[in-house]
Amino acid sequence: MTATIDRPTGVLAALRRTPAPVRYLLGGVLVNQLGAFVQTFMVLYLVFRGFSAGQAGIAITAYSVGSVLGGLAGAELIHRIGPRATIATAMLGSAVVLTVVPLLSSSRLFGALLLALVLAGLSTQSYRPAAALLLSDLMPADIRVMGFSMMRIALNLGGALSPLIAAGLILLDWNLLFWFDAATALAYAVLARSFLPDVRTDRQSPDPARTGPRAAYAVLLRDGRYGLFLASVLIGTVIYVQYTIALPLKISAAGHSTDLYSAVLVTSAIVLIVCELKVTAYVSRWPGYVAATAGTALMGVAAASYGLSGDSAVALVASTVVLVFGIMINGPTMFAYPATFPAPVKARYISAHQTTFGLGMAIGPLFGVAAWTTLGNGIWWLCGGLAQVAALFALLGMKPKGEAS
């Protein structure tokens, strides 16, 4: 009881207790995210360089495939060279590949370009499991969820500022998008090598029969409850993506200008950056499965409300705010959950989560376009229903065994 009183979980208290290496880690995430242009601007860049829309679509798919593979590669690198070296190596590789992408952007080198984009996605995303693992190891356990909330804020803040930087770079030279991205990756590599600790927690099982990647993945594959958690992550991510895919299609079909969509994006970014830590400080007092279930269910309510909004701009913005609150409630808890598993398997549990999240980000646009084309406004009712399924999966996957309902 005394420990609980002496360890406040408010925002300022959590910030004061955040170790210096975690601050460097989050600073690197922010710097790297400021140059995260490939997924956002790759299609426009290739069309500008004379590629067809179909070729641009194939190119961004190649990057997405690499991103999914990067989550798996990151876990194996962690076990072989440690999380600090994984971040530095991944970012250095990303910097090298991104530097040469503009040199391959011609129709006769399209095959080489696709390979480079697969490698770019792989190297860019393979740092994420290592960053999550370091954060979980270095952050005090009672404010670990707050740490993941801070990481999400760093990602969102970088994501909000990067389009402004990109707009200025495009005015000078489109190639600068990739070279600036490479520079931020290199900066993160140097920061990681210089300021992050070389944490080498023993991740070997005391049971020799359960040591090694095959044994670790076997444990993961047999964990049906974690499979339900991953299913919830996948469905929730696909639904989350729709506010960047199906929502602009709805706004356009309703006859609104792109200014409304810009207002929606700005509103969501402001709400996330301003409110997430405070919301997390409150929600972190709940059992993890309650936060995950409630937040995911609220996302479903927000998705369904898009279907009810008609052509009202105010209703669309309000629905987005509800969606963002759902994300703030479930996001930090669900990102922190894989870090609660034992050290011998933790890296691969984190990697499985990151890979599933990346897969949802990759297939979300395909789902959104197909569902909008087929169902029109009905996509929001489908998303609302799927979110309730995802909420049930989160409840079943994360609720401790034997706990009373």
Side-chain angles (χ1 to χ4, degrees), residues 7 24 70 253 284 295 358:
R7 291 287 191 178
Y24 288 124
S284 61

Side-chain angles (χ1 to χ4, degrees), residues 60-88:
I60 201 65
T61 299
Y63 183 85
S64 298
V65 169
S67 298
V68 173
L69 296 176
L72 297 174
E76 296 312 310
L77 285 173
I78 289 169
H79 282 269
R80 284 163 173 74
I81 62 177
R84 182 184 72 174
T86 296
I87 294 174

